[in-house]
Amino acid sequence: MKQKLFIGLFFILQFAKAAYILIPMDHSQKNHLKAYGIAYWVIKNDIEVEWLLNYRGGSFMCQAAKDIESECTIRGVSYELIADVRSVAILQEISNPEVNMDVVKLEKAPRVAVYSPKTKQPWDDAVTLALTYAEIPYDVVYDEDIMMDKLHLYDWLHLHHEDFTGQYGKFYGQYHNAPWYKEQVRASEASAKSLGFGKVSELKLAVAKKIRDFTAGGGFLFAMCSAPDSYDIALAAEGIDICESVFDGDPADPNMNSKLDYSKTFAFTDFKLDPNPNNYVKSNIDTYTDRQFKYRTTKENDYFTLFEFSAKWDPVPTMLCQNHETLIKGFWGQTVGFDKKYIKPNILIMGENKSINEARYIHGEYGKGTFTFYSGHDPEDYQHRVEDPPTDLSLHPNSAGYRLILNNVLFPAAKKKKQKT
């Protein structure tokens, strides 16, 4: 009897030791956004996580531990405790060449930086909201940090509601008398002067070039809202004055559009700038005007579709598109969409609104690094306006639009596989 009890106890212990935690990311998950935070927390504690691409919405799996179970419970994240034989069966199912699934191992938690001014802004930042809600740690860096070459401390950098052209978001027409706008101008001019630049546009270009070098050296760049197009505009306009006198005290170059150098940009080409300081848009990259007057886009008909990629052959875009939905609710922003006519042919479009020829989510390589550009401001606030309160993500724990942001945060943790070609 004692021997049978011992043998039974031995198998129970072996079973417990071999058990795995599966964090499903399909519609059964109670809190998709915090699930990313769990995955980050696990790899931060030196436990490998397997990202099961296209398996139940891009689920996570790791060896079981009481601390992980407790953390899932505390954060309200759904999980399943599965036996070793079940984990093996899942991996066998995924390895079948007939199914569009794959496994990526997440090994090292990326060091995350958010490019944002240290002063309070009259808008929030969707990525900061997502990181905070998911409980993923990050540092805030800004111009002075970047000019002091601190980017080497980080793996992943986010750019959000920023205008790298020195035109203050082209808010002049509507907000030039607003206290927050005047303070932004004052602080920006003081910062430029303290760092040895005569104009804000010159400082922003220098910062953009430092970010370019960070990416070329192997960094992961993620940009959203007004940052993607303003970033490329600043690079293309190097040495050209594109700012009218209301921005920098002297006239812009009237021949600016004939002098742009598109070879310097990351994603966009052949675009033309809008020199009118009273117009909200910076260039025809942005679909902002066409959406309003040509296509009459409304909340009811505004969606974009995620592309499906081969998990086994194209793991990078597959990772970036992991979701429990393929049709994503659209949302506005200062840059609301990218006109596909002005996207370089080597850039991968991962999400589009085909009916209005608009890309919403794109990806590319630059040097040894990569970049992802995501248009729009807040995936859960359709027309987020200046000075609106921040979105409460506890009301949107299963946001498909916010999941795309967090895919990018985990992406640098993936162990690189050898190309199969």
Side-chain angles (χ1 to χ4, degrees):
M1 182 68 180
K2 286 183 179 180
Q3 186 177 9
K4 288 183 179 179
L5 183 62
F6 175 80
I7 293 172
L9 183 60
F10 173 81
F11 280 111
I12 290 171
L13 289 172
Q14 288 297 100
F15 176 87
K17 188 176 180 181
Y20 281 76
I21 287 177
L22 176 72
I23 300 177
M25 294 296 278
D26 54 14
H27 287 90
S28 69
Q29 177 56 249
K30 291 185 296 186
N31 197 316
H32 288 93
L33 304 188
K34 283 192 178 288
Y36 286 93
I38 291 290
Y40 187 96
W41 180 82
V42 172
I43 55 177
K44 186 75 173 176
N45 283 280
D46 299 320
I47 300 172
E48 185 180 88
V49 172
E50 291 178 306
W51 198 353
L52 311 181
L53 304 184
N54 291 346
Y55 178 82
R56 295 183 64 181
S59 301
F60 302 109
M61 188 168 69
C62 64
Q63 285 197 323
K66 283 294 182 183
D67 287 348
I68 300 174
E69 290 184 64
S70 297
E71 202 66 28
C72 286
T73 301
I74 290 167
R75 301 192 194 189
V77 172
S78 307
Y79 72 94
E80 300 170 14
L81 195 61
I82 61 174
D84 183 57
V85 290
R86 176 62 181 139
S87 71
V88 171
I90 290 171
L91 295 178
Q92 287 178 338
E93 177 186 351
I94 290 172
S95 68
N96 184 343
E98 300 300 317
V99 302
N100 187 19
M101 299 179 191
D102 203 4
V103 178
V104 171
K105 296 182 184 299
L106 303 179
E107 297 182 319
K108 183 183 177 184
R111 298 164 297 176
V112 175
V114 172
Y115 175 78
S116 179
K118 310 297 172 67
T119 55
K120 180 174 170 55
Q121 297 294 291
W123 46 74
D124 55 19
D125 171 5
V127 174
T128 304
L129 291 177
L131 290 169
T132 301
Y133 182 72
E135 300 180 55
I136 295 175
Y138 64 91
D139 292 336
V140 175
V141 298
Y142 204 49
D143 296 333
E144 58 273 20
D145 304 300
I146 291 176
M147 294 310 297
M148 292 172 64
D149 292 320
K150 292 185 178 181
L151 283 183
H152 74 278
L153 300 173
Y154 303 97
D155 305 300
W156 190 88
L157 175 66
H158 160 59
L159 318 174
H160 193 75
H161 208 299
E162 186 63 45
D163 184 353
F164 289 94
T165 70
Q167 297 177 97
Y168 307 108
K170 295 200 77 177
F171 281 119
Y172 178 82
Q174 188 172 357
Y175 293 106
H176 64 276
N177 287 321
W180 65 262
Y181 183 89
K182 293 179 178 179
E183 174 56 24
Q184 184 185 50
V185 172
R186 185 206 64 75
S188 298
E189 290 179 345
S191 178
K193 184 178 180 180
S194 70
L195 291 169
F197 295 92
K199 293 182 178 182
V200 172
S201 58
E202 294 171 355
L203 167 60
K204 292 299 182 184
L205 173 62
V207 168
K209 291 166 74 173
K210 292 277 190 182
I211 294 170
R212 176 199 64 193
D213 296 344
F214 160 80
T215 309
F220 298 85
L221 180 67
F222 180 78
M224 200 169 172
C225 199
S226 61
D229 57 337
S230 74
Y231 181 79
D232 264 11
I233 290 169
L235 293 177
E238 182 176 3
I240 309 166
D241 189 344
I242 65 171
C243 299
E244 287 294 350
S245 57
V246 296
F247 300 122
D248 66 0
D250 57 33
D253 186 337
N255 299 312
M256 65 176 77
N257 278 315
S258 64
K259 297 180 179 180
L260 297 172
D261 185 352
Y262 306 113
S263 69
K264 296 179 178 179
T265 64
F266 276 33
F268 305 112
T269 188
D270 299 331
F271 53 84
K272 299 301 177 187
L273 308 183
D274 184 339
N276 188 338
N278 292 304
N279 287 348
Y280 193 50
V281 297
K282 293 175 283 296
S283 77
N284 55 3
I285 296 170
D286 188 3
T287 57
Y288 190 91
T289 302
D290 280 353
R291 280 173 140 257
Q292 292 184 93
F293 302 109
K294 183 177 179 180
Y295 297 110
R296 304 291 181 182
T297 308
T298 65
K299 187 174 182 178
E300 287 68 33
N301 64 15
D302 194 357
Y303 289 87
F304 65 95
T305 305
L306 294 179
F307 283 70
E308 182 178 1
F309 297 93
S310 170
K312 291 178 173 65
W313 291 92
D314 295 308
V316 170
T318 303
M319 273 187 276
L320 298 179
C321 290
Q322 289 302 286
N323 224 304
H324 55 293
E325 305 282 357
T326 56
L327 192 64
I328 311 298
K329 293 185 299 182
F331 50 98
W332 287 70
Q334 194 176 358
T335 299
V336 67
F338 311 128
D339 192 318
K340 291 199 289 186
K341 293 195 299 289
Y342 306 114
I343 297 176
K344 291 183 175 182
N346 63 313
I347 301 304
L348 197 62
I349 296 175
M350 301 186 296
E352 68 170 0
N353 185 330
K354 193 171 184 178
S355 65
I356 59 177
N357 201 43
E358 172 189 82
R360 296 299 304 259
Y361 189 45
I362 64 177
H363 180 74
E365 297 179 352
Y366 191 87
K368 296 179 181 179
T370 69
F371 62 90
T372 302
F373 291 166
Y374 189 15
S375 65
H377 185 85
D378 187 326
E380 292 298 336
D381 189 343
Y382 186 66
Q383 282 189 306
H384 193 86
R385 300 184 183 279
V386 172
E387 298 186 286
D388 276 357
T391 298
D392 182 355
L393 285 184
S394 67
L395 302 176
H396 309 281
N398 308 106
S399 171
Y402 268 94
R403 277 197 67 178
L404 299 181
I405 295 172
L406 293 170
N407 285 338
N408 281 272
V409 177
L410 283 190
F411 167 53
K415 181 180 181 180
K416 304 301 179 290
K417 290 187 176 184
K418 290 182 179 180
Q419 292 293 322
K420 297 182 180 180
T421 54

